[in-house]
Structures are given as C-alpha cells and as structure tokens.
Amino acid sequence: MRRAPVGIGLRQPHIATLLESRPALDFVEVHSENHFAPGGAARAVLREVRQHMDISLHGVGLGLGSATGLNQRHLTQLAQLVSDVDPMLVSDHACFCRADQDGQPWPVHSGDLLPIAFTDASLGLLVAHVQTVQDTLKRPLLVENISAYLRYADDAWSETDFLNALCQRSGCQLLLDINNLIVNALNWSSTAEHAEAGTRQAIQASCDWIDRISPAHVGQIHLAGHRAPARPRTLVVDDHSQAVNASVWHAYEHALARLGPRPTLIEWDVDLPPLEVLLEQAHLATQRMDAWSQGREPGP
C-alpha cells in the first residue's frame, strides 16, 4: 500500500530555513487564522511555500460546537484563504469557544478550545455547523478530537460514538490527534499508583479508543509531545513542547495497524527546536509507516 504523506507544523521561525533548504517533505500545516489578512507578508509567504509543497490549513477559531452559532466573518475569511492557497486538507476542532456574556453586544471568544458535552443536542448543533462550513468551503472538513480537562455529568455518548455519528451525519472526517488521547487518558486515570503504570494504562486506553473509531472516518493524524507527569494524578498539559512521546509513538503504531496509513503531521508549538529536529520527527513517522506497509516491526 502506498505511503501516506507526512508533514510538520510550520511556524514563523522556520519559514526562511524551509524556503531556502526545501527539504524532502510532503506537506506543511499552518494555523488558518494567522493568514486571514488578504495582503501582506503572511499571505505572500504562504503562497510561496505552496509553490513547493502541499499545505494543510488547521483552524483554532471556528468554535464548531458554540451554541451562539458560527462567526460568519471568520468563515468568510477562511473560505477566501482556502480559495487562494488550495490546501490539501482543512481542519478545526470539536469544541466551543464563543458564548454570550451579560453586558456584551456580541459573543465573547474564550481564546481556548473548550470541551463540548456529548449529548444529542450538542451533536445536532455540531452537525449543522460542520455542514454549513462544508457548504461554504465546498469541500469536506476534518474535525479534531481535543484534549479536555473536564467531562460533563450529562454526557449521553462516548466520545468515539459521538465522533462516529458526527462523521456519518455530516460527511466530515476525523482528524485523529493521538497526543490528545494520551493526555486525556493520563488525566482521567484514577487507578495508577506509579507514573509508569499510568503511562501503560494511558496507552491501552488510547488504543482501545482507536479500536472504537470507524477507520473510514479518519482523514489525518496529528502527533505531538507533552511534558510527562512528575507523579501519578498530576495534571498533564497538552503543550506541544516536546518531541513525540514514546507513548504517542506506541499508540500511533497501533493506529497504523488498525486504520492503515493516513496523512500524518508532527506538531510542535512551544520551545521550538531547530527545523532539523522537526524533520527528524517526521522521518520517524515515515519509518513507522514504511515498516507497517512492509509488515516489519518499527524502529526506535
């Protein structure tokens, strides 16, 4: 089976080096909102990058699960950007980020990706908003599972059943963030008394999660790193500040066996290393994908 493309998240400090060196890389991913301005350097640089490789647009501001509705101006700007750069993929998150607030004439943006309840009402709202975005963009949208630091008492669906239903009803695809699975599993574990045992439980929980998602719905995979907890039951923050953790690689190998190859991206947003480090992380993902396709055990 043909290998799926592998890319890295492109951040401003690496742009000049990338354009100068033009490494063997399948694609890069940028945050959509950073390039909404129709003119200026950011859009010009993005067009230049697009001449040499594919681009994936990853949004953080649509707030697809917001009960206040979609921000039409935000959606219009996204549609204009999509038309301009013709990305290989467009994605955002299964979250809410906008809400009404007393005394404010319009919804307030949280500046964060806030978890939604897994209820029938939430699903209906999310499906409607995703369909509106897809109708506007004239292409499928990928929706990412988020790292969440709380769960709702009135959840009526498991996360996997909820996301399977979202994809089935709206026609969207899932952006499977494996680091988010590991972080959530570490934070929700209540039985591990040692960090090592907690990590083993998180890997197993993440692999079980992957087993419950429909392979037909997964359109992309994100890999990232997080700071390992110093001790059990310590909050783990999804900070994208490290190389991909061993636990994430383990779950990724399971995802390859379960789902087959999918476009895979390395995310690194805090304490950025040199570009070469990100390229090496992408190479490790490629090695694992190649090993899967050839029926071999992956390398380190």
Side-chain angles (χ1 to χ4, degrees):
M1 184 180 292
R2 183 179 179 184
R3 177 179 69 81
V6 176
I8 63 171
L10 181 60
R11 304 296 175 253
Q12 193 278 331
H14 295 147
I15 292 174
T17 304
L18 181 113
L19 287 173
E20 181 179 352
S21 61
R22 297 185 189 176
L25 194 63
D26 296 321
F27 72 102
V28 294
E29 187 167 274
V30 299
H31 287 159
S32 307
E33 292 81 4
N34 291 341
H35 302 272
F36 273 2
R43 183 71 68 90
V45 167
L46 195 61
R47 290 194 191 101
E48 184 175 357
V49 171
R50 182 66 180 86
Q51 293 176 9
H52 305 293
M53 64 187 67
D54 280 329
I55 288 175
S56 176
L57 295 178
H58 186 50
V60 295
L62 272 174
L64 293 166
S66 300
T68 56
L70 296 170
N71 182 317
Q72 187 56 50
R73 182 170 181 269
H74 187 112
L75 181 53
T76 297
Q77 290 176 302
L78 176 60
Q80 291 169 346
L81 178 62
V82 168
S83 177
D84 192 6
V85 303
D86 187 25
M88 60 179 281
L89 298 169
V90 182
S91 60
D92 210 292
H93 299 78
C95 71
F96 81 95
C97 60
R98 301 168 67 247
D100 292 326
Q101 183 171 320
D102 291 344
Q104 297 295 328
W106 48 75
V108 174
H109 200 291
S110 69
D112 206 346
L113 308 174
L114 303 176
I116 56 178
F118 300 135
T119 63
D120 292 345
S122 182
L123 178 60
L125 184 73
L126 193 58
V127 167
H129 288 166
V130 167
Q131 289 175 329
T132 296
V133 173
Q134 293 181 142
D135 289 344
T136 301
L137 301 184
K138 298 179 173 57
R139 62 163 67 208
L141 181 71
L142 280 77
V143 179
E144 179 182 331
N145 58 293
I146 69 166
S147 54
Y149 305 104
L150 61 84
R151 291 183 285 190
Y152 294 95
D154 60 344
D155 281 351
W157 299 67
S158 70
E159 184 176 27
T160 48
D161 286 347
F162 185 91
L163 293 173
N164 278 330
L166 169 67
C167 293
Q168 184 174 4
R169 296 183 190 184
S170 71
C172 75
Q173 289 189 299
L174 176 67
L175 196 174
L176 170 57
D177 191 307
I178 293 180
N179 183 61
N180 290 352
L181 297 183
I182 294 288
V183 168
N184 287 347
L186 287 169
N187 285 332
W188 296 341
S189 173
S190 60
T191 58
E193 297 182 359
H194 304 284
E196 184 177 340
T199 298
R200 288 197 301 268
Q201 288 182 9
I203 292 171
Q204 185 60 56
S206 299
C207 291
D208 291 345
W209 194 104
I210 291 167
D211 287 343
R212 294 191 297 270
I213 207 74
S214 171
H217 294 154
V218 179
Q220 186 184 12
I221 292 174
H222 273 186
L223 305 174
H226 59 269
R227 297 186 190 278
R231 59 187 185 278
R233 301 171 190 174
T234 300
L235 183 68
V236 182
V237 178
D238 176 30
D239 60 1
H240 297 177
S241 67
Q242 309 280 311
V244 176
N245 300 73
S247 56
V248 176
W249 284 125
H250 191 115
Y252 179 58
E253 291 160 11
H254 183 83
L256 289 174
R258 160 72 174 159
L259 309 171
R262 295 293 189 275
T264 298
L265 182 95
I266 304 295
E267 286 189 299
W268 199 319
D269 295 314
V270 178
D271 299 332
L272 285 173
L275 178 63
E276 291 75 15
V277 176
L278 286 176
L279 296 175
E280 175 59 25
Q281 292 282 288
H283 178 64
L284 292 174
T286 300
Q287 283 185 321
R288 282 163 168 79
M289 209 180 295
D290 288 344
W292 171 86
S293 67
Q294 298 168 21
R296 297 185 286 106
E297 289 296 321

